[in-house]
Amino acid sequence: MFDLHQSLKGFSGWEDTPAPEDEAAPSPFIDEPWRKIKGWGESTRKELKSEIQDLKPERFDVPTFNVILTGQIAAGKSSFYNSINSIFSNRVLPTKATSGEMGQSFTKQFKMYPFTHNANIRIGDTMGLDVNSSEVDIRNIFKILDGHVPNLHEFQSDEEFLPDNPDYILHPSLAERAHCVALVINANKLPIMQHCQVRKLKNLAVGIINRGIPIIVVLTHLDEFHPEVSEDIRKTYRSGLLKDLVVKLRPMLHGLPENLIFPVINYHKEVELDVGMDVLLLYALRSMIYAAECYLENLTAS
């Protein structure tokens, strides 16, 4: 088992050994933020929402930016989508548990959701990966990214989607392919992730990178990974624990740049919107659309 908690010992704030009684326990927060953002208030939330609502792919001759969510089962892919919709609806929307969140996944559906607050954006939800996922599951995810899989197609466990299937899209257009992949990972479970799960995520990342599709990592369950952050979310980028986690995660994803990894807290117990939570979520979404825009720009320029 890959034990990131063990490997992170020695970093500031991660040591399990209690401090002597006559010494104050070291703070898990560092003095200077390891990432700077515009702010945590209402003006930043409004600005980010406005930017996202104004983004359009018209000059690339495609109707929508296509962002595909994948990653771990129960990491919060559907909750991320629901949280984004909550922000733009100005209220926390009800959600329901997915099969992955219940710890099982028999039928796996690929579904593209139109983003009603900007018709130029579509967000696709796919099956996740866990210890029981096979190489077939990974290859099916690649077929989604390549545009071969139609919307609402249901995958059966260990059944590969092949060209002899009548629903298979043989020659997908750019409008049917993925323009960005959001890799959703549970920050709280990452330190105890089993080696087989690490290997599968690495294989998935390699396939995405080889296709030239940009990856944005969404680190969910920040409030469980570092509970003190949820008490004051403005301290997110002063968390030494989170900084160390990001540093250790990068090699797992073949050196993915730090500024493509976004910690978030999805709405799951709150009944009112929180400005700080919204800011984290909106920065993640904006980066996905920016990445999709750069991908399309590079394709059309070549």
Side-chain angles (χ1 to χ4, degrees):
M1 183 180 292
F2 175 74
D3 192 341
L4 184 55
H5 279 99
Q6 185 65 34
S7 68
L8 284 175
K9 285 184 178 180
F11 284 89
S12 173
W14 199 276
E15 188 59 59
D16 288 335
T17 304
E21 291 186 3
D22 58 344
E23 292 182 17
S27 171
F29 297 103
I30 56 180
D31 293 334
E32 293 294 324
W34 50 271
R35 175 177 296 168
K36 293 184 178 180
I37 61 174
K38 292 181 179 179
W40 294 96
E42 180 61 31
S43 61
T44 301
R45 174 165 62 177
K46 285 183 178 179
E47 182 177 342
L48 290 169
K49 286 175 67 176
S50 178
E51 288 180 24
I52 292 168
Q53 288 174 311
D54 290 341
L55 289 168
K56 298 178 182 179
E58 293 173 347
R59 60 194 176 100
F60 306 116
D61 199 27
V62 295
T64 59
F65 294 112
N66 297 334
V67 176
I68 305 297
L69 305 177
T70 186
Q72 291 173 290
I73 284 179
K77 298 185 300 298
S78 298
S79 294
F80 176 80
Y81 173 78
N82 187 74
S83 296
I84 291 297
N85 269 321
S86 293
I87 295 170
F88 284 91
S89 299
N90 297 314
R91 61 190 177 95
V92 177
L93 298 174
T95 187
K96 61 181 180 179
T98 64
S99 57
E101 289 167 336
M102 292 186 287
Q104 55 184 350
S105 183
F106 300 111
T107 301
K108 307 163 186 179
Q109 187 183 63
F110 165 59
K111 186 171 184 178
M112 289 295 289
Y113 294 94
F115 187 55
T116 55
H117 308 283
N118 182 343
N120 303 297
I121 299 171
R122 291 195 305 164
I123 300 177
D125 192 11
T126 70
M127 59 279 198
L129 299 176
D130 65 2
V131 293
N132 299 313
S133 300
S134 66
E135 293 301 317
V136 168
D137 293 321
I138 295 176
R139 290 198 294 271
N140 281 337
I141 291 174
F142 291 152
K143 288 182 172 66
I144 289 172
L145 304 184
D146 294 337
H148 296 299
V149 182
N151 187 29
L152 302 181
H153 177 79
E154 292 186 350
F155 294 95
Q156 302 300 318
S157 294
D158 295 324
E159 181 180 311
E160 186 165 2
F161 189 62
L162 297 171
D164 59 0
N165 189 300
D167 293 331
Y168 191 95
I169 302 172
L170 280 174
H171 304 291
S173 66
L174 181 58
E176 295 167 307
R177 288 151 46 190
H179 307 147
C180 176
V181 175
L183 202 57
V184 184
I185 297 174
N186 185 330
N188 198 43
K189 292 185 178 180
L190 180 60
I192 56 172
M193 189 183 294
Q194 296 185 30
H195 279 295
C196 63
Q197 287 180 284
V198 174
R199 177 178 53 80
K200 289 168 187 175
L201 280 175
K202 281 186 173 182
N203 291 344
L204 180 61
V206 167
I208 298 169
I209 292 168
N210 288 343
R211 285 166 168 75
I213 304 172
I215 299 174
I216 298 293
V217 172
V218 180
L219 279 177
T220 59
H221 297 274
L222 172 62
D223 50 334
E224 297 173 8
F225 173 74
H226 193 172
E228 292 90 342
V229 167
S230 62
E231 297 172 6
D232 185 355
I233 203 165
R234 295 171 298 177
K235 293 183 178 180
T236 296
Y237 293 122
R238 287 182 51 218
S239 168
L241 302 182
L242 182 58
K243 168 67 173 177
D244 296 339
L245 187 73
V246 169
V247 169
K248 289 294 181 180
L249 175 61
R250 291 186 60 230
M252 187 191 302
L253 300 175
H254 305 278
L256 189 75
E258 191 175 292
N259 62 0
L260 300 181
I261 302 174
F262 291 86
V264 303
I265 301 175
N266 289 329
Y267 284 101
H268 60 102
K269 60 183 179 183
E270 298 78 11
V271 295
E272 298 289 347
L273 293 177
D274 179 273
V275 177
M277 288 173 59
D278 292 355
V279 167
L280 289 178
L281 289 159
L282 290 169
Y283 265 109
L285 178 62
R286 189 188 67 170
S287 293
M288 294 172 198
I289 309 306
Y290 280 176
E293 190 174 44
C294 288
Y295 171 75
L296 291 169
E297 188 167 11
N298 290 336
L299 281 183
T300 55
S302 60

